[in-house]
Amino acid sequence: RALLWLGPVYLAGYLGLSGSWVLLALALWLCWGLNRRGKRDRLAAALALLEDEREAVCRGLAARHLPAWVHFPDVERVEWLNKVLVQAWPYFGTIMEKTFKEVLEPKIRAKSVHLKTCTFTKIHFGEKCPRINGIKAYTKEIDRRQVTLDLQICYIGDCEIHMDISKFNLGVKGVQLYGTLRVILEPLLTDAPFVGAVTLFFMQKPHLEINWAGMSNLLDVPGINVMSDSLIQDFIAARLVLPNRITVPLKKNMNIAHLRFPIPQGVIRVHLLEAENLVQKDNFLGAIRGKSDPYALLRIGTVQHRSKTVSRDLNPIWNETFEFVVHEVPGQDLEVDLYDEDPDKDDFMGSLLISLVDVMNDRIVDEWFPLSKTTSGHLHLKLEWLSLVSNQENLHEDKKGLSTAILIVYLDSAFNLPKNHFEYSNGECGAKKIKNNKYLKKMEREPSSFVLLTVGNKTQKSKTCNFSKDPTWGQAFTFFVHSAHSQSLHIEIKDKEKDSALGTSVVCLSHLLKDPSMTLDQRFQLDHSSSDSFIKMKLVLRALNVEEPDPQRVKAGVNASKLGPVPVTEKAGNQQKFSSPQVSKVPPMSKDSAALESLPKKDSGEDLDTKDSSGAPVPSETVPGLDEAEGKQNPELGPPSALPSGAAAVPTLPVLQEMRVAPSVTSLGSLPSSCFELSSSNLDIHNGTEMPLGEIQLTVRYASVRQSLVVLVNGCRNLVSSSNRGVDPYVRIYLLPDRRWTSRKKTSVKKKTLNPQYDEKFEFFESLENVKKRTLDIAVKNSRPFMSQERKELGKVRIDLSGEDLIKGFAQW
């Protein structure tokens, strides 16, 4: 072995090479060994975690690396399913061994002459089976004829597969795979098997790490390992990651084309505007700090766009626009990563993750977002949700050059393709003499064809169907369209081996406008091909509609102003007198809110959300007179019997003025009821509407182990209807002074009820010291129709957490 190691050194000296080549080879060998050891250590650590989950969870409590079913109450732990997998895994391994030998091995040998000696010498899938860490089921956001499940797959396998090719041994010895697999069961049927088909796909690229064996260890060489891993992940993404799907029909004669290629949910338009206070990454001589050269990577699923690079600026301005097709909501997120461009390796500057469900609900979001995984920095984005409609009035050409529609191409199959481009000329068969018999034999082979589809300056390529004159592709493609009246779809079928055109076709998008549904599903005649050569496609054109947002849903960015208390209107005859509550003791405001306190107040907004004070709750001792108010009532209201049932005695107006700045739960607890029903005879909130209040039951406590404030919304009662058609209430929660859109919590919407029951839990991950300085802002709102004039807010309460025993917790109406 020592002679073998010294052999390359002797050879380098014999050939007269420089000693730097020996050092380079030594460095590569050391890096390769380090990668190998690190990969083996990671696999061993993952196997150890899998062996003793109790110990792993105990360690994760300190590091907050907990399974999803611990963090999110809607993710269920399914240990029974894992036990079933453990029992069935040996039988699955036997089936896969048979499949590798009888199906996969012949296919590999047929691929190339050099692979004819391919033989699987060892196939063992090991004792470790895949594990499902949690399952989330969707029922409210989807069609009632389907069931959608998100499975968090974790496979840390000790499988061992070896293959010999021409006396070279290649193999795999251990695999790690993490990812979220979505399973859709649809359509639900009234007869057996009760489910028509099963659709499988990964929401994002799964994390994959392979421990190679034999000659495959060369793939761990630095530089090659990154390329090999990315190639394997791209291979998986091309088949199993959105928008690609695997659909398996469970019932005979089930048409699964619309299940494999559903129409997308919509389009999101991202305006990358600017950033501020980014971290400095460039330095000179390791000591002098310089400015960075930031750029952004925006990604949804497998589609990624890169912005331009702004040189030497920590407050860059991009003003760029990107468009993404959204296939699955809920499930897909917008990921934004900022990098500092360098000649060697780009430095990471922060990231951002935005749920597309909230963007779809709010339609337009214009906000400053704080960057995570970094020390400082904010990113200004404007997000627009574009619905897909079949209304041709929305197809006018955009003056800014933005897309006005999308074209969805379902590429099905082709028929009677020529064997080569010499066989047919202008649709007429023409004989051509070829003297080379070897070349003639190759020309007589069935074509291996793929399709190039082009709209504007974007071209997409289909997969290749080998050796068939009637290929079936079964793929879907989407294109952004700027002018449906003038643009066309260009189709070209090419032979992979000879790189020659087997047929072309051009479809003007204006033909789709003649159909009311803007859809064409037919065979198209191929030009420059045989007279009986066709391609079958389905073309769907949909206009992009920017719906106006709800005027009551106003988003406050990270630098939004913290507005003062709402003035209270005191009625005196026909005149109204506005007076602000006098606050005697106010905690210090945050830096951001103090800097922007001088901004003007908005006359319209999220009702009371943008008008109330979000920065300074009043402690209980600053609300005098509440104890004296017990048992008292306004003489104008008459005797106590005139009060509504379940309502407390209404305090006098000065008390209400002071209580308007959100007393604490302890101060409210001194009254017979923690809620007042206010009528127009004694109080008129300054928003043009009367605001009688119902009651909401909350359970609040602080979880010390998880370092989070837990708020359980139990339900509401005696809400006041804001319209004749009834109300659809939901609860919105802020932990003030943080009023950012990303930190907002919302319950589900309960239809047509004044006594909704939620029983939904929310968590704010903050330290106990920070929580003691905060205020819970809770509003009950009506989910009203678009452009409706109904009142948005049904009631509101603020809870000062500084005077509460949060470790013990409290539950109160």
Side-chain angles (χ1 to χ4, degrees):
R1 183 178 297 180
L3 289 176
L4 188 62
W5 287 354
L6 293 174
V9 180
Y10 174 79
L11 183 62
Y14 180 78
L15 296 177
L17 299 178
S18 171
S20 58
W21 288 100
V22 179
L23 294 177
L24 179 62
L26 181 62
L28 286 175
W29 180 77
L30 290 174
C31 292
W32 172 79
L34 187 63
N35 282 345
R36 293 287 302 154
R37 286 193 297 273
K39 187 173 290 187
R40 282 198 296 266
D41 292 342
R42 287 193 295 271
L43 181 60
L47 287 172
L49 291 177
L50 195 64
E51 287 289 342
D52 193 347
E53 186 186 20
R54 179 184 296 274
E55 184 182 352
V57 170
C58 291
R59 289 202 305 266
L61 285 173
R64 295 188 182 180
H65 295 154
L66 294 175
W69 55 266
V70 177
H71 285 300
F72 308 103
D74 53 354
V75 178
E76 300 178 13
R77 187 183 186 187
V78 284
E79 281 305 306
W80 63 270
L81 185 54
N82 289 321
K83 292 178 181 178
V84 172
L85 290 176
V86 170
Q87 290 292 99
W89 184 247
Y91 302 94
F92 174 80
T94 303
I95 295 173
M96 291 303 297
E97 290 175 16
K98 186 177 180 180
T99 303
F100 268 68
K101 293 294 292 184
E102 298 180 359
V103 179
L104 187 59
E105 188 175 292
K107 286 187 176 181
I108 294 177
R109 290 180 175 181
K111 282 287 184 180
S112 173
V113 178
H114 306 288
L115 300 177
K116 284 189 175 181
T117 60
C118 171
T119 305
F120 285 100
T121 57
K122 183 177 182 180
I123 303 174
H124 179 58
F125 278 82
E127 304 298 329
K128 309 298 180 183
C129 69
R131 179 177 177 80
I132 299 176
N133 288 333
I135 290 182
K136 181 176 181 179
Y138 295 92
T139 55
K140 299 176 183 177
E141 304 91 344
I142 59 175
D143 186 9
R144 295 193 62 182
R145 292 196 63 193
Q146 67 174 214
V147 175
T148 300
L149 304 172
D150 279 350
L151 280 67
Q152 297 180 358
I153 301 294
C154 169
Y155 177 49
I156 307 166
D158 55 348
C159 62
E160 194 169 354
I161 302 173
H162 291 271
M163 178 175 60
D164 284 345
I165 301 178
S166 300
K167 298 182 181 181
F168 290 102
N169 180 265
L170 309 174
V172 172
K173 192 175 182 180
V175 174
Q176 293 188 58
L177 177 68
Y178 305 92
T180 300
L181 180 69
R182 173 157 291 188
V183 180
I184 301 178
L185 309 177
E186 66 172 335
L188 301 182
L189 308 174
T190 56
D191 54 349
F194 306 110
V195 176
V198 178
T199 302
L200 307 169
F201 54 87
F202 281 99
M203 301 298 300
Q204 307 286 347
K205 279 186 180 181
H207 170 76
L208 178 66
E209 190 167 354
I210 300 176
N211 189 25
W212 300 104
M215 291 293 294
S216 305
N217 278 325
L218 294 175
L219 295 177
D220 284 332
V221 173
I224 299 179
N225 61 339
V226 177
M227 183 176 63
S228 62
D229 291 346
S230 62
L231 286 175
I232 295 173
Q233 289 187 354
D234 292 341
F235 179 81
I236 295 176
R239 288 157 176 79
L240 282 174
V241 180
L242 269 179
N244 306 291
R245 305 165 184 248
I246 292 180
T247 303
V248 181
L250 301 181
K251 188 176 182 179
K252 293 182 179 180
N253 303 323
M254 173 65 64
N255 184 12
I256 62 173
H258 67 287
L259 301 179
R260 291 187 61 194
F261 312 114
I263 292 180
Q265 298 281 343
V267 170
I268 183 170
R269 182 175 290 158
V270 182
H271 300 273
L272 179 64
L273 301 178
E274 55 185 325
E276 66 177 10
N277 298 328
L278 298 181
V279 294
Q280 297 176 341
K281 289 293 183 179
D282 290 342
N283 58 75
F284 304 96
L285 302 177
I288 304 175
R289 305 289 292 179
K291 294 185 177 181
S292 301
D293 307 316
Y295 68 90
L297 291 180
L298 300 94
R299 179 171 53 256
I300 294 181
T302 58
V303 180
Q304 177 173 290
H305 294 295
R306 172 174 170 160
S307 72
K308 63 184 179 183
T309 301
V310 180
S311 300
R312 300 178 57 78
D313 197 346
L314 298 178
N315 300 286
I317 298 176
W318 288 287
N319 287 329
E320 293 186 78
T321 302
F322 306 95
E323 294 172 323
F324 296 89
V325 178
V326 181
H327 296 273
E328 284 290 325
V329 174
Q332 287 193 288
D333 299 319
L334 171 63
E335 303 173 59
V336 183
D337 295 327
L338 294 185
Y339 288 92
D340 169 32
E341 187 175 40
D342 287 325
D344 48 358
K345 182 181 180 181
D346 297 343
D347 298 320
F348 178 74
M349 302 180 67
S351 64
L352 182 64
L353 185 68
I354 299 176
S355 173
L356 298 184
V357 177
D358 295 330
V359 181
M360 182 180 68
N361 294 334
D362 296 325
R363 303 299 176 184
I364 297 179
V365 176
D366 190 350
E367 186 172 345
W368 284 89
F369 295 92
L371 296 174
S372 60
K373 302 178 183 178
T374 185
T375 56
S376 67
H378 292 85
L379 185 64
H380 188 190
L381 297 177
K382 181 181 179 182
L383 310 174
E384 294 179 311
W385 179 266
L386 310 177
S387 303
L388 306 184
V389 297
S390 55
N391 187 2
Q392 298 187 14
E393 296 179 358
N394 294 13
L395 292 176
H396 58 276
E397 189 169 354
D398 192 274
K399 296 180 180 180
K400 298 180 181 179
L402 299 176
S403 302
T404 58
I406 67 168
L407 175 67
I408 308 165
V409 181
Y410 301 100
L411 179 62
D412 188 357
S413 56
F415 307 93
N416 297 320
L417 293 181
K419 295 179 181 178
N420 52 75
H421 67 291
F422 297 118
E423 187 175 352
Y424 295 96
S425 176
N426 296 325
E428 299 179 357
C429 182
K432 183 173 181 69
K433 297 181 180 180
I434 304 175
K435 298 180 179 180
N436 193 329
N437 292 332
K438 183 178 180 180
Y439 186 65
L440 178 62
K441 184 178 181 180
K442 187 175 181 180
M443 297 286 286
E444 291 176 351
R445 189 185 302 172
E446 298 288 347
S448 298
S449 55
F450 63 90
V451 183
L452 295 177
L453 301 108
T454 305
V455 174
N457 57 359
K458 183 177 181 181
T459 300
Q460 299 190 53
K461 180 181 177 181
S462 73
K463 64 182 181 182
T464 301
C465 291
N466 293 318
F467 311 122
S468 175
K469 68 174 183 178
D470 300 320
T472 300
W473 294 283
Q475 289 181 274
F477 305 90
T478 56
F479 296 90
F480 286 103
V481 177
H482 302 279
S483 176
H485 298 278
S486 59
Q487 288 187 282
S488 302
L489 169 66
H490 297 261
I491 305 109
E492 183 179 14
I493 304 179
K494 304 191 75 173
D495 189 349
K496 176 185 176 182
E497 294 188 353
K498 296 175 283 294
D499 198 25
S500 56
L502 304 177
T504 61
S505 181
V506 178
V507 181
C508 295
L509 301 186
S510 57
H511 293 166
L512 280 80
L513 303 180
K514 300 176 182 178
D515 186 85
S517 61
M518 295 194 291
T519 303
L520 285 179
D521 188 1
Q522 64 184 52
R523 293 184 178 185
F524 295 88
Q525 174 73 49
L526 289 174
D527 299 327
H528 308 292
S529 187
S530 173
S531 58
D532 57 348
S533 296
F534 297 89
I535 185 171
K536 184 179 180 181
M537 297 184 299
K538 181 179 179 180
L539 309 180
V540 179
L541 186 67
R542 288 292 180 265
L544 302 181
N545 180 35
V546 183
E547 297 184 11
E548 292 297 327
D550 190 335
Q552 300 296 332
R553 299 177 68 95
V554 177
K555 297 294 165 239
V558 295
N559 291 333
S561 61
K562 305 297 187 288
L563 302 179
V566 177
V568 179
T569 307
E570 185 177 353
K571 289 191 175 181
N574 295 329
Q575 297 180 352
Q576 293 182 347
K577 179 181 178 182
F578 300 103
S579 61
S580 299
Q582 300 298 321
V583 180
S584 60
K585 191 182 298 183
V586 179
M589 300 178 67
S590 63
K591 181 179 179 181
D592 291 339
S593 59
L596 295 167
E597 186 184 10
S598 60
L599 290 181
K601 297 182 180 180
K602 298 180 180 179
D603 294 331
S604 63
E606 194 175 348
D607 291 346
L608 297 181
D609 286 355
T610 58
K611 298 176 183 178
D612 293 344
S613 170
S614 60
V618 178
S620 58
E621 61 266 25
T622 64
V623 190
L626 284 181
D627 292 334
E628 292 80 6
E630 184 175 356
K632 294 183 181 181
Q633 56 187 12
N634 195 330
E636 296 178 3
L637 297 177
S641 60
L643 289 174
S645 60
V650 181
T652 58
L653 184 58
V655 176
L656 286 173
Q657 288 180 345
E658 304 237 3
M659 195 197 71
R660 185 69 195 111
V661 200
S664 67
V665 174
T666 53
S667 61
L668 289 178
S670 62
L671 295 173
S673 173
S674 297
C675 183
F676 299 93
E677 184 163 338
L678 309 178
S679 62
S680 59
S681 61
N682 57 69
L683 183 63
D684 184 14
I685 305 299
H686 182 54
N687 62 351
T689 61
E690 299 172 357
M691 294 288 292
L693 303 179
E695 293 180 286
I696 181 171
Q697 187 183 35
L698 302 171
T699 302
V700 182
R701 66 179 178 86
Y702 188 83
S704 301
V705 176
R706 301 182 57 193
Q707 297 287 303
S708 67
L709 178 69
V710 180
V711 179
L712 177 62
V713 181
N714 302 104
C716 301
R717 66 187 181 189
N718 300 330
L719 297 179
V720 179
S721 179
S722 61
S723 67
N724 295 328
R725 71 174 189 90
V727 295
D728 303 330
Y730 69 93
V731 180
R732 187 269 301 136
I733 305 176
Y734 282 123
L735 186 60
L736 300 180
D738 189 1
R739 194 186 286 276
R740 291 174 297 165
W741 173 69
T742 53
S743 61
R744 179 189 58 178
K745 310 290 185 183
K746 287 175 54 179
T747 66
S748 58
V749 178
K750 302 298 181 182
K751 298 290 185 179
K752 303 294 183 295
T753 178
L754 297 178
N755 299 281
Q757 194 70 24
Y758 298 100
D759 294 326
E760 296 184 33
K761 183 174 72 173
F762 303 95
E763 292 187 77
F764 298 87
F765 290 91
E766 295 284 348
S767 65
L768 182 59
E769 292 76 16
N770 290 337
V771 170
K772 285 284 188 179
K773 303 174 184 177
R774 302 292 193 94
T775 299
L776 273 177
D777 185 316
I778 300 165
V780 182
K781 299 195 173 187
N782 177 24
S783 179
R784 59 187 191 173
F786 181 66
M787 295 300 292
S788 171
Q789 299 300 319
E790 302 169 11
R791 190 171 72 240
K792 175 75 172 177
E793 191 166 87
L794 303 178
K796 188 178 199 175
V797 65
R798 285 190 177 168
I799 302 174
D800 178 17
L801 301 177
S802 61
E804 302 297 334
D805 186 359
L806 298 179
I807 300 298
K808 182 179 178 181
F810 59 88
Q812 189 171 346
W813 283 94

